[in-house]
Amino acid sequence: MIDDAPSRIARFIEPFRVSPGSGVNLAKDFDPAFEGGVKRKKDGVALLNEGIELLVNYQARLAAQDTYGVLVVLQALDAAGKDGTIRHVMSGLNPQGVRVESFKVPSALELNQDFLRRYQKRLPSRGEIGIFNRSHYEEVLVVRVHPENLLRQKLPAETRGHHVWRRRYEAINDWEQYLSENGFRIVKLFLNLSKEEQRLRFLRRIDLPDHNWKFSSHDVEERRSWDAYQEAFSEMFSHTSTAWAPWYVIPADRKWFARIAAGAVIAHTLIDIDPQYPTLSDDALRDLNAAKVQLQSEAPSAATPTADGDAARATPARKLIQKDA
Ligand code: AMP
Ligand code: MG
C-alpha cells in the first residue's frame, strides 16, 4: 500500500495546482468546499496519519542528506486555519529540523530595506523544512490592497508607479528560481476559505470564551476588503505560479481536509526530492571498523566485547532480568 502512495498523492493534489501561465479567477476556478473524494472526516484521519508518517520518514532523510532545504509558504485569509495546519502537519517531525517563521507588520528597520530582505534572512538551511506563516507574498497582497503600506516603504519615485506589482511578481519569481537552483524547494500553499465560513469562524471566536483571544476587530475590518483580496490573490496566482514553484490552492472550508491536502503537497515535494541517507566512503568504513575493534578491546574482563549478537544476549545481567521476569 505504501508503494503506490507517491502516485496516489500526486493524483490527490493535482486539482489544487495552479498551472503555470494560466489566468486565475479565484472565486470561479477554486471551490473552498471541494471534497476531492474524501467526504467524511473518518476517512480523512487515516489519510492524515499516513501523510504524517511519510513526512516523518522523509524529514529524517532530508536532514541526514543535508543537501536540499524545503520552504513551505503558507498564505491565507484570516481564520482559514494557518496555525492549526502548521500544528497538524508538523506533528511528529523532529523539531531540530523544522523552523516556523511568522511575518507581521514590518518594523522601521525592515521598511528601510529592500522588500525581500526580511524574508531572505529567515530562510531554512539545507536539511531543514522552513515554514513561512505569511511570507513575501504579503508584499503583493496586503501591501496592494492597502496602498498606504507601499508609501511607508519609501521607494524611489520612479519605482512606485503602476508597474510596481508586475515588477514585484518578476522579482519574486526570479528569487524563487535562484533558491530552487541552489537546492531550496518551495511549496506554496494558499488556504482557500469561503466568505460565509469565515463569518461563522469569527462568530465562534466571539461566542467561545476559550477562542476570544483569537478574535481581532482588525480581522473584521479586513473582511470589508474581501473582494479586493480575492482580486489580489487571483493576480498573484496568475503571475507567480511557476514550473519551479507552483501554487496550490487548498480547499479550507473543512479544516481536517485542508490539513490532509497541505500535508500531501509537502509530502509530494519530499518524495520528488527523494533524499537519501549518506553512504560511507571506503575510507570512512575502514575508520568505523577500526573504532569498533578499539572499543571491543577496551571491554572490562567480565563483559562481552560486542553490543550485538548472541554473546550480548547471554551476558549475566540479561540472564538475571530474564529470571526475575
Ligand atoms: P497575524 O498573522 O494574524 O498575526 O497578523 C499579522 C499582520 O501583519 C496581518 O494583519 C498582516 O496583514 C500584516 N502584515 C504581514 N506582512 C505585512 C507586510 N509586508 N506589510 C504590511 N502588513 C503586513
Ligand atoms: Mg490575524
Side-chain angles (χ1 to χ4, degrees), residues 14-217:
E14 187 53 33
F16 314 140
R17 188 167 177 273
V18 178
S19 302
S22 62
V24 174
N25 179 334
L26 181 58
K28 275 201 0 227
D29 299 340
F30 292 94
D31 176 9
F34 177 73
E35 294 197 324
V38 195
K39 288 210 166 47
R40 295 169 308 172
K41 186 171 179 178
K42 209 174 77 188
D43 307 325
V45 170
L47 270 172
L48 186 60
N49 290 338
E50 195 185 55
I52 284 170
E53 206 177 298
L54 224 131
L55 287 178
V56 169
N57 176 319
Y58 275 91
Q59 185 210 11
R61 284 158 49 182
L62 187 82
Q65 189 186 36
D66 207 16
T67 302
Y68 295 94
V70 175
L71 172 64
V72 179
V73 166
L74 199 52
Q75 284 294 154
L77 293 154
D78 288 309
K82 283 196 286 33
D83 295 344
T85 300
I86 294 173
R87 218 168 35 239
H88 277 252
V89 167
M90 292 297 127
S91 62
L93 296 192
N94 181 349
Q96 296 215 65
V98 195
R99 56 162 75 202
V100 182
E101 301 283 356
S102 299
F103 293 95
K104 312 279 182 188
V105 177
S107 69
L109 173 66
E110 288 166 342
L111 288 172
N112 236 3
Q113 299 173 339
D114 58 283
F115 83 94
L116 284 177
R117 183 110 46 118
R118 68 171 183 157
Y119 309 98
Q120 172 75 30
K121 281 182 181 161
R122 288 154 79 178
L123 288 169
S125 296
R126 298 192 194 284
E128 288 182 338
I129 299 176
I131 303 175
F132 277 5
N133 181 356
R134 301 188 190 271
S135 70
H136 46 297
Y137 283 99
E138 290 295 339
E139 303 292 340
V140 294
L141 292 168
V142 67
V143 179
R144 184 167 191 173
V145 171
H146 301 293
E148 60 273 22
N149 286 304
L150 192 67
L151 285 179
R152 280 190 213 112
Q153 295 190 354
K154 304 196 281 184
L155 296 170
E158 66 273 21
T159 68
R160 244 186 280 134
H162 166 71
H163 55 280
V164 62
W165 308 116
R166 187 166 287 269
R167 289 292 300 120
R168 283 199 171 188
Y169 296 141
E170 286 168 7
I172 288 171
N173 289 343
D174 289 348
W175 184 57
E176 291 180 353
Q177 186 171 32
Y178 156 81
L179 291 173
S180 61
E181 283 172 355
N182 280 275
F184 295 92
R185 296 285 298 269
I186 302 162
V187 180
K188 300 191 298 205
L189 305 174
F190 169 65
L191 303 183
N192 189 25
L193 188 71
S194 68
K195 195 171 185 187
E196 174 56 8
E197 181 61 24
Q198 189 193 52
R199 188 182 71 88
L200 295 174
R201 288 188 192 177
F202 281 165
L203 278 176
R204 214 168 301 137
R205 288 180 177 187
I206 294 168
D207 289 342
L208 300 176
D210 279 1
H211 290 227
N212 284 171
W213 66 273
K214 288 193 207 171
F215 182 77
S216 149
S217 53

Side-chain angles (χ1 to χ4, degrees), residues 263-280:
V265 178
I266 300 168
H268 176 73
T269 303
L270 286 165
I271 290 167
D272 193 50
I273 296 174
D274 196 20
Q276 303 293 326
Y277 286 111
T279 49
L280 294 186

Side-chain angles (χ1 to χ4, degrees), residues 271-318:
I271 290 167
D272 193 50
I273 296 174
D274 196 20
Q276 303 293 326
Y277 286 111
T279 49
L280 294 186
S281 66
D282 289 348
D283 277 355
L285 275 176
R286 217 170 298 126
D287 288 351
L288 211 65
N289 277 320
K292 182 173 179 180
V293 171
Q294 172 71 28
L295 286 169
Q296 286 172 339
S297 74
E298 288 174 18
S301 50
T304 49
T306 52
D308 55 359
D310 290 337
R313 252 176 252 129
T315 57
R318 290 286 181 115

